[in-house]
Amino acid sequence: DQQAWTSEQRHALTRHVDERARDAVEAYTTLPEDTDPLDKQRARYAALKAARNRALVFVLAYTGVRVGELLRDPNDPRRRGVRWEDFSLDDGSMDVYRKKQQWDAASLPDPVISPLRSYRQLVDPPTDRWPVFPTFDQRTLAELVREELAERGEHPEVIDERREAHARDLLLALDENIRPPSITTDGARSILQRLSEAAEIDIDHPKHDYLAPHGGRRGMGEVLVRAFGYTVAARYLDNSEEMVRERYSHIEAGELGDVATEALEEIDSVPQ
């Protein structure tokens, strides 16, 4: 069974990625004017990576969207990962390719908007078709940049020079509008594994020693069922009410237990 993120775990992870991103962005934006260009690029790359990870964690933690709807599935070309064109930060919504094989709007609650806005500002994507969560894998990006520049007619020596002038291939891809692929669902698991460890989050689960991506959705389901009931939770999670009732039946069982306890206290305390 998938482990639902508890409130404590969610807060610990979001606080950790928030602090990391703030520190990395500040380190980049406060560099002295005369900083070496490559050092400046390295700082920008570190800020981009930290800001991407923060945005990813917040989206997984608060939107309840399935990780497969958000990121790339190598086995399904329709699941190419969300792009900036799929987001409307002003309206607080994003379009995702749902499990039911169609595009549909999903909500972006308030906690998600600020991390996405500051991240977008930092990326300054050359086009809205740019992936929101691009891969930072060096090998993938090196191959992509070489192939794309060669296709554009650049000579191998020139390509090597261009790559040397950039601290990372991702930054060259941004400069040249060479669109990288989105991270995969496996990539997200690796990121969350590293972040869970770095944030020293206490996890008690037989299968996972880290906060798995789907657990964010399960955790959000818990919050919604407890606060607003099964109907609202089902709509938010894009699930049938029947399935939500089944999956979160422990909540109802607990509540009914409380009712039974109350009834026993009331009836049993009445003198016969």
Side-chain angles (χ1 to χ4, degrees):
D1 189 30
Q2 291 283 355
Q3 166 221 21
W5 299 3
T6 64
S7 293
E8 293 76 19
Q9 289 170 336
R10 182 168 57 249
H11 291 143
L13 186 60
T14 52
R15 190 165 55 242
H16 173 75
V17 291
D18 194 41
E19 283 170 9
R20 268 196 168 184
R22 283 173 193 273
D23 290 349
V25 171
E26 190 182 348
Y28 167 58
T29 52
T30 57
L31 285 173
E33 289 282 316
D34 59 352
T35 303
D36 177 79
L38 281 176
D39 287 340
K40 198 175 276 189
Q41 286 184 32
R42 287 186 192 99
R44 183 182 179 210
Y45 178 82
L48 283 170
K49 194 170 192 177
R52 179 204 65 174
N53 290 350
R54 172 173 62 183
L56 177 65
V57 164
F58 272 75
V59 169
L60 288 172
Y62 292 107
T63 64
V65 168
R66 299 171 182 89
V67 67
E69 295 169 346
L70 204 59
L71 305 174
R72 184 168 63 90
D73 180 350
N75 303 315
D76 187 347
R78 294 166 303 179
R79 299 200 180 281
R80 39 126 173 106
V82 286
R83 296 171 177 171
W84 287 110
E85 65 185 352
D86 301 324
F87 278 67
S88 176
L89 298 183
D90 292 336
D91 296 339
S93 70
M94 63 174 165
D95 290 328
V96 291
Y97 191 71
R98 291 291 198 185
K99 192 178 182 181
K100 58 193 176 200
Q101 314 282 300
Q102 65 187 48
W103 287 89
D104 200 2
S107 301
L108 292 174
D110 273 359
V112 178
I113 302 293
S114 176
L116 280 167
R117 270 198 209 287
S118 55
Y119 168 48
R120 188 192 164 111
Q121 195 177 351
L122 195 66
V123 178
D124 190 18
T127 162
D128 277 349
R129 301 192 73 204
W130 196 266
V132 178
F133 304 112
T135 182
F136 276 53
D137 181 68
Q138 293 285 30
R139 198 179 305 169
T140 304
L141 291 166
E143 198 177 314
L144 180 73
V145 162
R146 279 200 203 96
E147 278 180 14
E148 183 62 35
L149 290 177
E151 268 183 37
R152 293 180 189 182
E154 298 268 19
H155 290 291
E157 313 85 65
V158 177
I159 293 172
D160 289 344
E161 281 171 24
R162 301 285 300 283
R163 290 186 65 224
E164 275 171 30
H166 287 77
R168 295 286 187 274
D169 285 306
L170 180 85
L171 303 177
L172 177 53
L174 272 166
D175 280 355
E176 290 297 325
N177 189 11
I178 298 170
R179 199 166 71 236
S182 165
I183 52 175
T184 61
T185 46
D186 280 348
R189 284 185 194 95
S190 300
I191 291 168
L192 281 169
Q193 215 159 352
R194 288 195 297 273
L195 292 173
S196 300
E197 198 176 312
E200 297 178 346
I201 293 170
D202 189 29
I203 290 152
D204 178 26
H205 193 266
K207 283 186 184 172
H208 298 293
D209 56 355
Y210 68 99
L211 294 182
H214 194 73
R217 173 178 167 82
R218 292 298 300 273
M220 197 61 192
E222 293 262 347
V223 169
L224 290 163
V225 169
R226 290 181 192 280
F228 300 109
Y230 292 99
T231 308
V232 171
R235 281 181 60 198
Y236 191 87
L237 295 170
D238 185 49
N239 251 342
S240 68
E241 191 174 332
E242 186 187 9
M243 187 178 280
V244 171
R245 278 185 181 278
E246 191 182 308
R247 193 156 284 166
Y248 299 96
S249 57
H250 60 281
I251 295 175
E252 192 169 37
E255 286 169 354
L256 288 172
D258 292 342
V259 169
T261 304
E262 203 177 308
L264 285 165
E265 283 171 359
E266 204 172 303
I267 302 301
D268 273 14
S269 64
V270 175
Q272 298 298 321

